[in-house]
Structure formats: C-alpha cells, structure tokens
C-alpha cells in the first residue's frame, strides 16, 4: 500500500475506536468534513466498506472490525517506540491511565503515586476505580492493578503490594444478639453483606480456607454493594457480617468497633500486581511508575509479613 495511505489508516482507527467523526476529528486535529472525505477515499481504494454510518452513530463493519483488530495494536507499538526514542534524554512526561479496584487505589497506588508525582511534575495520572475486570488493551488503559491470581497470563505483571488477607467482621451490636459462626456453614444462618462483581453481575461467593480445606459459601443478607468501603460501613452500622480486606478493617478492629469471626478460615491472597500488555515497549513515564510502585521485601517487613 502507498506510503500516503498510513495517515488514512490512522484516521480510520480513530473513528472506529471513538465511534464518532466529531470526537475523532478533534483528536486528530482536522475538520469533520475532511476526516469523512479521507475515510471515504480509503474505502474506495480498498474496495470495501469499513464503517456503517447513521445520523446518530458510527460503527465498524465486520470487515472494519477485523482491520482495526489487526492493525490497531501494530500502530500502537510503532507509536510507543517513537515516543520512547523521543523521550531519551528528556524528562519523563505524559498521561498514564490506570484501572484499579477501590482498595488497591487507596491502600497501594496512592501512597506511592503521591511520592513519585512530586518528583516528576510532567507525569499525569488518571486512575479509574472499578471492581469489574477490565480489558486494558480494548479500553485503552496503560496499566491495571488487581490481585495477582486475577491477572491474565498473557500480561506482564509486577507485584506492587504484600499478600492481601481478608477477614470476616461484624459489629459488637450485631454479634451480641446471635451466636457467632463456628464453621463456614454457620454463615448461612447470618445476615451477610454481599458484594456484586460488576465484571459479570454475579454475587461474590466467600472463598474460605483452613489448612488444606477450601470451601466456597454463598451467603445471604439484606444488603448488596459493589464496593468494599460501603460493605464495611454497613457492618459498622450493625447490618451483618462482612468479608473485607484486612487492611481497611484493622483500625476498626483495633478500636473495638468490629470483631472478627472464623479467623482460622480467612486466607491470604496473592498481593496486588500492576500489569500491562506483554511485549510492549514502555515509554519512560510508564517505566518510572513501574519502578516506583514495585513491591520490595523491606515493605513486607514493615507490614509484618
């Protein structure tokens, strides 16, 4: 294909991803009419329709979707390499998009980001907090942060936090009115505050482990949230038992506002990992964040691990 067609392909990728000529034109810095003409010229050269246009929307055709999946990642790789070369000898800069769970963002990401951003004023960070599992490539995030066991195997992962233990807690007011659970099966007789996983809409089943014994318990209760902070708040207010990360519950356990139950059944999960697409050449700004967030053995000692 002629060299001048590369700009046409970049224009097509922008429109297909944004699903809007208006947003794509703003992104590329061209007029909407010029962009529309460029796409029509590309379709004419290739002899296929790449986009379906209506008065309200724009979407790739089946052929356009195939072309976008094929060439999109390659153009991103080229752009990343060019950025990396330009950044040699320059101050790390740019905007980095990260998706993380609420607990990871507050307990792991922010304490380290606060320090590194002070040292690198030209690095900007956008953090999207959500409990669902995110395809970081499709949704154009640079990094994701999830528990190590949840990271897809085709991703490059870097540990950024210690192992994460979960605990079952309830308020004294709640536990004083009913016998505490002595086995995981006893939980079915309690009001439990549930977590809805937004990735597939299902209620999370509590995963418990004691030695080699592993059980999964589907609990019931009056309340369902999609965030652990809200679950913790409801437990503090006496609405039932909650299964939450130990880190966020510790201050309330120490103050006596919460009590733990079934402690010997509460396992530790592989700690939080920062992950990104394998094989990607990281721009300097992204590499700075990887190095700053990386977990070290000294942190385990500080956490008492």
């Amino acid at each position: 294909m002629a060299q001048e067609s590369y700009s046409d392909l970049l224009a097509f990728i922008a429109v297909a991803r944004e699903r809007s000529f208006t947003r794509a034109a703003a992104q590329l810095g061209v007029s909407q009419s010029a962009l529309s003409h460029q796409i029509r010229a590309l379709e004419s050269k290739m002899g296929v329709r790449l986009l379906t246009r209506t008065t309200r929307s724009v979407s790739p055709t089946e052929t356009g979707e195939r072309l976008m999946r094929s060439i999109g990642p390659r153009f991103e790789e080229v752009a990343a390499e060019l950025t990396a070369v330009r950044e040699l000898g320059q101050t790390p800069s740019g905007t980095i998009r990260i998706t993380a769970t609420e607990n990871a963002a507050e307990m792991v990401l922010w304490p380290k980001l606060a320090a590194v951003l002070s040292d690198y004023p030209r690095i900007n960070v956008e953090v999207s907090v959500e409990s669902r599992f995110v395809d970081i490539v499709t949704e154009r995030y640079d990094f994701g942060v999830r528990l190590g066991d949840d990271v897809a195997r085709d991703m490059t992962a870097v540990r950024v936090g210690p192992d994460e233990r979960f605990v079952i807690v309830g308020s004294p007011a709640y536990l004083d009115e009913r016998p505490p659970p002595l086995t995981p099966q006893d939980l079915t007789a309690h009001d439990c505050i549930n977590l809805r996983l937004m990735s597939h809409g299902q209620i999370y089943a509590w995963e418990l482990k004691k030695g080699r014994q592993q059980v999964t318990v589907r609990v019931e209760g009056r309340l369902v949230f999609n965030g652990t902070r809200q679950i913790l708040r409801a437990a503090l207010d006496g609405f039932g038992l909650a299964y939450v990360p130990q880190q966020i519950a510790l201050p309330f356990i120490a103050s006596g506002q919460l009590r733990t139950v079934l402690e010997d059944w509460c396992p530790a999960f592989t700690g939080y990992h920062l992950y990104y697409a394998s094989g990607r050449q990281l721009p300097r700004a992204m590499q700075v964040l990887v190095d700053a967030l990386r977990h070290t053995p000294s942190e385990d000692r500080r956490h008492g691990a």
Side-chain angles (χ1 to χ4, degrees), residues 50-207:
L50 300 173
L51 297 171
T52 298
R53 308 161 176 83
T54 69
T55 55
R56 295 184 178 180
S57 65
V58 179
S59 61
T61 63
E62 184 177 349
T63 302
E65 189 74 39
R66 175 182 173 180
L67 181 63
M68 183 174 66
R69 288 198 305 267
S70 174
I71 68 173
R74 292 176 170 82
F75 273 101
E76 289 178 354
E77 290 173 7
V78 171
E81 289 287 353
L82 292 174
T83 299
V85 171
R86 283 196 298 269
E87 286 184 342
L88 290 175
Q90 298 179 359
T91 302
S93 62
T95 297
I96 298 172
R97 300 184 69 231
I98 306 173
T99 171
T101 61
E102 183 180 30
N103 188 51
E106 184 170 335
M107 305 302 294
V108 177
L109 270 184
W110 180 243
K112 294 183 178 181
L113 280 178
V116 72
L117 292 178
S118 298
D119 294 335
Y120 295 93
R122 295 183 61 185
I123 295 179
N124 303 317
V125 177
E126 175 186 340
V127 179
S128 177
V129 174
E130 45 198 334
S131 60
R132 69 186 179 94
F133 295 108
V134 175
D135 184 333
I136 63 171
V137 176
T138 300
E139 300 194 32
R140 302 173 70 184
Y141 286 100
D142 297 296
F143 293 125
V145 181
R146 294 292 186 276
L147 291 174
D149 294 337
D150 296 330
V151 177
R153 293 185 178 181
D154 61 348
M155 292 286 166
T156 297
V158 177
R159 179 186 276 267
V160 295
D163 283 350
E164 188 75 25
R165 186 169 185 255
F166 279 62
V167 291
I168 302 173
V169 294
S171 70
Y174 174 84
L175 289 169
D176 285 345
E177 293 182 355
R178 47 188 59 76
L182 301 178
T183 70
Q185 290 71 28
D186 292 343
L187 291 169
T188 59
H190 280 265
D191 285 328
C192 296
I193 306 159
N194 270 305
L195 171 70
R196 186 175 296 280
L197 299 172
M198 299 310 294
S199 54
H200 45 68
Q202 295 182 359
I203 299 294
Y204 171 68
W206 293 10
E207 300 169 272

